[in-house]
Structure formats: C-alpha cells, structure tokens
Amino acid sequence: MLFDRLKRFLIVLEGTEGDAPAAFSPGQAVSGRVVLELAAAARLGALRLRAMGAARVHWTESRSAGSSTAYTQSYSDQVEFLCHRDTLLAPPDNGEVTILQAGRHEFPFTFQLPETLATSFEGKHGSVRYWVKAKLHRPWSTVKKVKKEFTVIEPIDINTPALLAPQAGAKEKLARAWYCNRGQVSVTAKIDRKGYTPGEVIPIFAEIDNCTSRAVVPKAAIIQTQTFIARGTKKQKKSVVTSIVGDSIAAGKREVWHGRALKIPPVGPSILQCRIIQVEYSLKVCVDIPGTSKLLLELPLVIGTIPLHPFGSRTSSISSQYSVNLDWLSTILEQPEAPPEYSTVVSSPETEQSLAPPCRSELGGILEGPFFAYIQEFRFRPPPLYSEIDPNPPSDNTRPRCMTC
C-alpha cells in the first residue's frame, strides 16, 4: 500500500517551517513546496494543488409562531476571494502511472494573491480563512489530502487625513427616579485622531458634569462590534476590548480628564470592505448614574496595521487644535528642478542687479519696523562631483579681466 510507504506528506510555505504561521499581504506572491517522502518506491497518479480564500457566515435563530409552534431559521452566506488550481505531478499521456523512488521529493508552487482581500478573521458567527490544499492520487486507492492555512492581513494606513482627524462629541442626560427630576449629567470627550494601531495609548480628554444629587462614576472602554450579514439580515456581537474606571464624582461636582491613558491591547485590525463580515471599533465614554440608565458617548475608531510615522504624529498634535489641509502635499514635485546654468545667472550686469537684495530706497518704510528678513528658497539638485581639471580651459587669446576696473 502507498500509505504504508508514505513517511511524510506536508505543505511548506516559503519563510516558514512546520506549523509556524505564515502571513501575507494582498497582491503578494505566495510560494512554497509540497514535500513527499517515501520509504519505498510507489506508483502515483497525480498531485494537485488548490489555494482557496473565502468569508463565510452562518447562524440560526429560533422563532415562535403562535403559543406552541416554534421553528428554527438558518442564515448563511459566502464570498469567495481566492481560487487557484495547479497540477504539480501529472500522469503520463499514455495512461500509465508515475513511479517515484524511495526518498524525499519536493514539488514547488507559486501563486499570486489578488490586490483586494479581507483580513483573516475568526468570529462567533463567521470567519475569513485562507488555505492551500494538496491531493495525492493513486490508482485503485483513496486520495491522500493535506492542508495548510495561512494568514492574510489587509494593510490599513492610519497616516491618512480621514484617520488623523480628531474625534469629539458631547451628550447629556436627565436623571429621573419615580418621576422626580434629580438633575442632569453631561459629558464631552475628545481624542486626537480616529486611527490607531495595537499597542498605542489613546489619550482621552473629557469633562463630566454631575448636577444630580448623587455621586456618579465615569468609565471608558474600547468596544469591538462584529457584524455578520446574510440574506438581508444582520447579526451583531459586541465585546469589551479594554476599559478603565475613573474616580467617583460627587454631587454637584465636575471631573476633568487631561489625557487619561487607555492602551490598546493586541487585537485584529478593522474589517470594513467585506460584504458579509465587518469588524468595527469605537471608544465609549459612559457615566453610571444610580437609579437610571447610563449616559453613553461613542467615538468611532479604526484599528490599522501601519503605525503613525513622525510626520503624522506632528500633524496629529496640530490637528487637535486646528483643521489641517494636506492637499498641498500633492503640489510638491517628486523630482527636484534642475539648477539653472551658471551663464544664465551672471552673464550680464542686469542679471546681477536683479538677483541682489532690494536697496533701502526701494523698500520705503518697511525697514523702519522692528524686524526685517529677506529669504530666498531654492530647490536644486546636488552639485556635480569635484574635479581639479577645468572642463572649459581658457584659450590663449583670452585677456584677463582687471579687478580694479
């Protein structure tokens, strides 16, 4: 039997060994090999490879019709992202079988991932999975299968104007108990930007006014919302990623958070472009009010994969106070301008005079102010390499110029 002679049958992806996880980005090439190790010579039919990627959702809901009759409604849907097939070992055209000798045999493969893929995900009612499966055929025998899963991470760059924009909001609630007005609770909160990456700290700026007759407790939490969609119906699951609890605020008092830190733990990135699965995050600032429901203020978050670079950090701090327009970046040339020829700059006395700083008579009363600066800005390419050999040596009939003239 073949499978008595088959010592090893596995898939190895490039850059990994054994069961180590492999992660790729959309548009990237995935390379690997199917390893077949035989203890003795064996007759084989074909070795086929299939790479798949899909998002799937499924859940059931119990519904009642009348007082005693109940039935279960199922919801499911699927979106295919990747389907690649390849034959690594084909049987001969004459109908015979291929005989492999004892030892180790490797069959390499490569396939390209599409440019648009959803991030790998495992949820309560659905998942996004990617895998490679190999099938080994033999005449008059069962098919031997092996499967290797890999991870795809969709890049989300938080260094974009939309994700660098500050997020702020305000809410208030009238505390009532037994139809009696016990005062009002209000909260305003603000964060520097919308996009963050795992491991970063979110500084929360908030003001909580307690105008009731009882103490209240402020809290803040990052909420993950998983949304599964099938047949026009949505199923959601919300969970708390991390949270902090503030100090109790006495009646008639105000609490101010000057950048209260909330660290983001290791979590999966947001999934926003999949038709049947979405993973969203939000920052919720809530106030527990005794005797009535909580006051909730929600600010949207996007968990990305590309962290903030230094320029984005500076922009973020500025944008917390001013609205920043980054459209001017598109006007910067990708390649610097070529510097002008030396002869075009100093070829005539008129040109020298035009390049000189303005004289006092031309400026009028400008110099009478407390400060004056004359700034010229150039964008030149690097100068040529230094050489002691003059590329344009003077001719014999060139008369030297008198410096005293």
Side-chain angles (χ1 to χ4, degrees), residues 1-6 42 138 140-142:
M1 295 295 294
L2 167 67
F3 302 133
D4 296 334
R5 306 171 185 175
L6 186 62
R138 180 179 181 260
W140 310 105
S141 182
T142 58

Side-chain angles (χ1 to χ4, degrees), residues 298-316:
E298 185 173 358
L299 302 178
L301 289 177
V302 172
I303 303 299
T305 60
I306 302 177
L308 193 71
H309 53 60
F311 177 79
S313 177
R314 182 169 63 88
T315 303
S316 174

Side-chain angles (χ1 to χ4, degrees), residues 10-78:
L10 73 156
I11 298 174
V12 178
L13 295 179
E14 190 174 283
T16 64
E17 291 293 339
D19 296 330
F24 301 91
S25 299
Q28 187 176 354
V30 179
S31 300
R33 60 190 184 276
V34 177
V35 178
L36 183 64
E37 190 170 345
L38 300 174
R43 303 172 65 191
L44 303 179
L47 176 61
R48 293 187 171 90
L49 183 83
R50 185 182 183 187
M52 292 292 297
R56 295 188 176 97
V57 296
H58 177 77
W59 75 90
T60 58
E61 295 180 1
S62 297
R63 301 181 182 275
S64 59
S67 58
S68 58
T69 305
Y71 66 97
T72 300
Q73 182 72 41
S74 297
Y75 298 88
S76 62
D77 202 349
Q78 175 175 328

Side-chain angles (χ1 to χ4, degrees), residues 17-297:
E17 291 293 339
D19 296 330
F24 301 91
S25 299
Q28 187 176 354
V30 179
S31 300
R33 60 190 184 276
V34 177
V35 178
L36 183 64
E37 190 170 345
L38 300 174
R43 303 172 65 191
L44 303 179
L47 176 61
R48 293 187 171 90
L49 183 83
R50 185 182 183 187
M52 292 292 297
R56 295 188 176 97
V57 296
H58 177 77
W59 75 90
T60 58
E61 295 180 1
S62 297
R63 301 181 182 275
S64 59
S67 58
S68 58
T69 305
Y71 66 97
T72 300
Q73 182 72 41
S74 297
Y75 298 88
S76 62
D77 202 349
Q78 175 175 328
V79 175
E80 188 176 277
F81 299 125
L82 170 68
C83 184
H84 171 80
R85 300 174 186 269
D86 195 4
T87 300
L88 305 182
L89 178 63
D93 296 335
N94 55 9
E96 298 294 332
V97 295
T98 301
I99 299 178
L100 290 184
Q101 300 301 320
R104 181 184 176 96
H105 304 270
E106 295 187 357
F107 302 89
F109 62 85
T110 300
F111 59 90
Q112 191 81 19
L113 294 177
E115 294 293 337
T116 303
L117 291 176
T119 298
S120 299
F121 169 76
E122 293 291 333
K124 184 177 181 180
H125 304 294
S127 62
V128 180
R129 297 175 181 171
Y130 300 89
W131 68 92
V132 180
K133 181 182 290 187
K135 293 183 179 181
L136 182 60
H137 299 261
R138 180 179 181 260
W140 310 105
S141 182
T142 58
V143 178
K144 184 69 174 178
K145 303 177 182 179
V146 64
K147 182 179 179 181
K148 176 75 171 181
E149 294 189 357
F150 61 93
T151 301
V152 171
I153 301 178
E154 179 188 9
I156 300 178
D157 190 357
I158 67 171
N159 300 281
T160 60
L163 299 186
L164 291 176
Q167 305 296 306
K171 236 176 185 183
E172 58 185 26
K173 187 179 184 66
L174 195 62
R176 293 180 178 272
W178 297 102
Y179 302 101
C180 297
N181 185 0
R182 291 191 172 179
Q184 182 175 275
V185 178
S186 62
V187 58
T188 61
K190 178 182 177 181
I191 55 178
D192 286 341
R193 47 190 160 95
K194 184 178 181 180
Y196 289 87
T197 52
E200 284 193 283
V201 173
I202 303 177
I204 305 173
F205 301 87
E207 290 185 3
I208 303 99
D209 286 319
N210 180 18
C211 299
T212 67
S213 58
R214 303 182 66 178
V216 299
V217 178
K219 300 178 181 179
I222 297 177
I223 307 298
Q224 183 195 68
T225 303
Q226 302 176 7
T227 303
F228 307 92
I229 306 171
R231 295 167 52 188
T233 303
K234 293 183 179 181
K235 185 77 170 179
Q236 285 191 337
K237 180 182 181 299
K238 295 188 177 184
S239 58
V240 178
V241 174
T242 185
S243 63
I244 56 173
V245 179
D247 300 329
S248 177
I249 305 174
K253 298 294 183 180
R254 170 185 290 184
E255 176 75 12
V256 180
W257 287 0
H258 298 284
R260 177 68 66 93
L262 181 60
K263 187 175 182 179
I264 304 175
V267 293
S270 301
I271 300 178
L272 307 175
Q273 304 300 325
C274 182
R275 180 174 61 84
I276 62 175
I277 295 179
Q278 295 178 357
V279 178
E280 300 170 298
Y281 293 88
S282 62
L283 172 67
K284 286 192 176 181
V285 179
C286 69
V287 181
D288 286 338
I289 307 173
T292 186
S293 59
K294 299 178 181 180
L295 172 60
L296 296 176
L297 174 61

